[in-house]
Every structure is written in structure tokens, then in C-alpha cells.
Amino acid sequence: MGIMTTDKTKTVGEALIDILEANGVDVVFGIPGVHTVELYRGLAGSKIRHITPRHEQGAGFMADGYARVTGKPGVALVITGPGLTNTITAMAQAYQDSVPMLVISGVNARSSLGHGKGRLHELPDQRAMMATLALMSHTLLDPNDLPSVLARTFAILQSSRPGPVHIEIPTDVMAEKISIGAITATAVKGPRAARSGVEKLADKCRQATRPAILCGGGAIGAADQIRQLAEQIDAPLITTVNARGMFAGHPLSVPASPSLAPVRDLLADSDLVIALGTQMGQTDYDMYADGGFPELDNLVRVDIDADQLARGPSASLPVLSTVDQLLGDLLPMLEGLTGHADGAGRAAACRDAVFAGLGPKMKAEVRVLETIVETLPGCIIVGDSTQVIYSGNLYFEPGRPKGWFNAATGFGALGYGPPAAIGASVGEPEAPVVCIVGDGGFQFSLAEIGSARDCGARVIFLVWNNDGYGEIRNYMLDCGIEPEGVTPSAPDFSKIAEAYGLPAVLLGDVSELAGALTELAGVSGPSLIEIHETNTHGATA
């Protein structure tokens, strides 16, 4: 990122690409159409790579996966009308999981807006529709506003709770010429806590005898600082789904869901709980909707979003700040502090109790996940909503930060995994990426394996085949409901892979997984492994 100098008159589409490039955008995901071709005019001559999905929802999910591993906004470029409505599900997932995403769409010519004359791809009020789920939705009516609108966009994406931003550009505006001077990258920091609040937290840390730390996705960028804090006050480190892997292998790490009784007991027994960058929402803290998360008398919440501090569990000390800036101010105040709270012992007891409480099927699924991490060090595991992912969300330690994320939390969109894994691979091409997806969820976005082939994404698609929607089938049975609509037929995934030119392996025994992963990790592009829950020996017990 930096300053790009230009003294030429350019079209809005060309200037858009220049500004994106100056702000560090190196990839866009999209499907061109008549309503966006002018936005592509400057793309071929830029350094920005274009990835073409098979569906605009895939463009959004790819942008999501890219953003999670790089920390930069994922950018999707889609046509007006159906292109944008196809992207809404991905935007909603990004909103729920606080993932920075920029969606740039076309919209019909300014003179047609609001008249309802049946133009191609017309919606009654596209911007108003998008404003319900975007942090900002803006219609570029004046072409000269482009630099200021994008500056505002990147300021929002950098300085507040991340999520999707939408900009729509009318087709007649795209080709208009504008003059822009030097383009400066937008650089804005989020909120920083008042010194008085930091001092109060420092006092609590000094006084605590049984502290604990909760980490959410908003804490990932401050992992080293958090580790230092935890070691100083001797506090177990409990990570939610989007924070898993931050402290892999550390004796204080508790990679388990706060929805589980042993984790809740640990928190209830703590005299100080510091929650860093976590929404404390239901899918992490009350997965079973039993209302059993304990009331915490000495809860400190640190969040970038003032609204979020007012929601959920009330805190004895709410702190409006980015996690890194808060810890940058806090740690010098604690210099020389050495806690003796048996943090490692408390963490180990919690880990043991969580694993012991899992059923045989879940333990088998966690062992599959452990095999992946042991076989492919440094890998990224991207999941869809499928049973093995639910087990991992309850208890599993990935081998690295940003090495575990999925759609079985937040918005919970099926079909998320395959395109998000492609985005992750594009964002970090040297890392092996494993996408775990069920046979039902895979069929939501099956064609995206072609996109993976086109862009050379090193993704191993690991299909967990349980002959339908197994999680929902079991839930129906638990509720005393005769299962209906939960057994959609699946294709022969190996033949589908072959049709796209991907190598594929159907495992007869789970013990073959490590060998298959090792072999396919050497493939220059995507590949596929299938585990059948009943036909693959060892898959469930």
C-alpha cells in the first residue's frame, strides 16, 4: 500500500481499480456481466488478480475466506440485481462473523432508478435492500465522489467492527471520466481505551487469584500480547471458534467451547474473566440454547464496537478499544507482575473434562481432525456445516492461528466451505488447505471445484458423506419427529472430481487418511478425499 501518482483523466471504472490497488487490494472475486464490464476496463493492466467463481455466492464466500487468512478486506465484483442478491448470503455470514468484505456492484442508469420500468436486473431499491445487512451501502451518483467514498469505505473496514460494505455504481457513471491526483491509501486505527479504564483493568489483574481470558476472532491480531498477559497473570486461555489455534500447544490453552459445562465451570470459578474481541453470541456461548452460561461478577469486556459492549453479558468493566492497543497500554503497567494461579493445571483439568465428556462418535471425529493437523503442519482447515466440524467447534486445537474457521457458527450458511477454502488458498497459496464439507452441503456449491481448478488452489476437499443431512436427521429423531426431507441423494464424488480433472481417493479405512493427505498435498492444484460415515471403517468410532 502507499501513494499512487496519476495525473490522467480516467473512467470511473479505471480509477476504481487504481484506488483499490493503492489500498492493498491484490485479488477480486467476481463474474463479469454487461452491467459491470466498464469496471473491468482497468483490471487487465493492474496488478490485481481476478478469480472467477461459478456463482456470485461463491464470490462472496471466496472473499470471506481470503479476508480471514490475510486480514485484508475480501473484494467481490458483481452485477446488479441477481448478481448482488446471490451475494447476500455470503455478506450475511461475513456480518455475523465480523469479516471485512467489500462488495462492489452495478446498478441501472441513474435516470431509471426508482421508476420501475422493467429494466434488466432491476430491483425496487437495491441500495436500501443492501443497507439492512451492510455496514455501509452507497450509490455513486456523482463520479467525482469516488475517491472520498472509497476512503470512507476503507476507514470503516479498518476502524470499526469488520463486516460487509456495499458500493453500487450506476452503469452510466462507470464510463464517465474523472480527474484524480495522487491516490493515498486510507490508514485509520480503531478506538483506544482511556487511561483510566486501562488502570482499572491493571488493578483487577494484580488482585486476581484465579483469572481466565476469553478470546474471540477480534483478538487474533494480538496473539503475542495476549500470550504475554496470560503468562504474567497465569490465566487459562479459552478460544472461541474464530480464535482457535492462537495458542496451539501452549499449556494455558483451552480450545473448547464456552457452551460446555467444564468450560463454564472454569469461568464461574474465576475471580476475573477478561473477554477480548468476542461477541459472546449464542453459537459460541450457548450452542445448545440451554441458558446455562454463568453470570460472571467480575467480567471485563474489550471490544471495538460500543453497541456490542451494550449487548450480551453485562461487564463490570466495559472497555472500548482494539485489543492490540489496549494490551499495548496495559502490559507496561503490569511489568514485573508474576501470577501464581495454577493456570496450567486449571487449563489441563478443563481440557481433560471436555474431552472425556464427548461421545465416542465425536471423539473419533476429533481424531480425524488431529490427523489432518499432524500430517499437514501449518494447514488451514475450512469447514462447512457438517457433523465433524460441529465436533471440532466443541473441542479441537488447530496447529496455527487462522487455521480453523467454518460456517457452523454465526449465520450458518451451507455451501460456505468450498468457496471459502478457495479464497483462503488464494490468500495464502503456500499453505495446504483442507475443506471439510458434508455430502449435502457440498451440493450447494459443488461447481466451485471447477473454480479451484482454474485458479490452481491447493485445496483438498474432504467430503464427509453421511447420506444426507445427518445432523438434522438426528435432531428430528431426538425431538420425536419422523425424519423427512433429510436424505437427498448424492453423486459419485470421485467421478465428479474426475470430470473436473481432480485426483480423488475414497477411503476404505480412516487409517488411510494420513497417507492420502500426504499424497494429495503434493498435487499442484485441488484434489478430493471422501470419507463415508458407514462404509469407511473407523469414521465414527
Side-chain angles (χ1 to χ4, degrees), residues 208-445:
T209 59
R210 296 184 314 283
I213 298 174
L214 284 164
C215 295
I220 290 176
D224 290 342
Q225 294 167 297
I226 297 170
R227 184 183 298 107
Q228 182 180 340
L229 173 64
E231 290 171 352
Q232 281 190 274
I233 64 175
D234 201 16
L237 289 158
I238 300 158
T239 45
T240 65
V241 170
N242 289 331
R244 291 288 175 80
M246 285 177 66
F247 313 106
H250 197 287
L252 292 172
S253 178
V254 181
S257 172
S259 297
L260 299 175
V263 180
R264 290 175 169 181
D265 291 343
L266 171 63
L267 293 171
D269 184 59
S270 300
D271 60 353
L272 173 64
V273 176
I274 305 172
L276 301 171
T278 173
Q279 186 183 26
M280 302 192 76
Q282 181 186 359
T283 54
D284 272 312
Y285 288 81
D286 196 14
M287 184 184 300
Y288 299 108
D290 59 11
F293 188 77
E295 291 188 15
L296 303 174
D297 294 333
N298 205 4
L299 172 65
V300 176
R301 294 189 64 186
V302 180
D303 203 281
I304 197 172
D305 186 355
D307 288 344
Q308 195 58 49
L309 288 173
R311 302 188 188 107
S314 59
S316 61
L317 178 60
V319 181
L320 180 65
S321 179
T322 62
V323 176
D324 61 339
Q325 290 188 113
L326 180 279
L327 292 176
D329 293 335
L330 175 66
L331 290 172
M333 296 183 185
L334 300 178
E335 190 172 349
L337 177 65
T338 302
H340 299 283
D342 191 25
R346 296 164 66 213
C350 185
R351 291 193 301 267
D352 291 345
V354 167
F355 189 73
L358 300 179
K361 181 175 181 295
M362 285 187 174
K363 287 179 179 177
E365 290 165 351
V366 170
R367 283 193 288 270
V368 167
L369 297 174
E370 291 172 344
T371 297
I372 296 172
V373 171
E374 292 165 2
T375 307
L376 302 177
C379 71
I380 299 169
I381 300 177
V382 183
D384 209 74
S385 290
T386 191
Q387 288 184 325
V388 66
I389 294 297
Y390 283 111
S391 296
N393 282 349
L394 288 176
Y395 181 76
F396 171 61
E397 182 82 286
R400 49 162 286 179
K402 302 180 183 179
W404 173 265
F405 55 89
N406 56 75
T409 181
F411 199 56
L414 279 170
Y416 167 89
I422 295 168
S425 181
V426 170
E428 194 172 326
E430 299 306 314
V433 178
V434 178
C435 171
I436 301 180
V437 59
D439 57 300
F442 203 3
Q443 293 182 77
F444 276 60
S445 53

Side-chain angles (χ1 to χ4, degrees), residues 27-67:
V27 181
V28 296
F29 304 90
I31 301 175
V34 171
H35 287 68
T36 55
V37 290
E38 279 295 336
L39 301 182
Y40 281 75
R41 186 174 293 278
L43 193 56
S46 75
K47 297 178 182 178
I48 297 176
R49 183 184 182 189
H50 184 275
I51 304 293
T52 307
R54 297 301 190 266
H55 191 282
E56 289 93 354
Q57 180 172 283
F61 286 146
M62 288 178 191
D64 178 300
Y66 170 90

Side-chain angles (χ1 to χ4, degrees), residues 169-196:
I169 305 178
T171 53
D172 59 320
V173 172
M174 294 177 188
E176 289 198 16
K177 297 286 187 75
I178 59 173
S179 296
I180 54 175
I183 303 172
T184 304
T186 302
V188 181
K189 289 187 176 182
R192 181 177 180 179
R195 184 173 179 83
S196 59

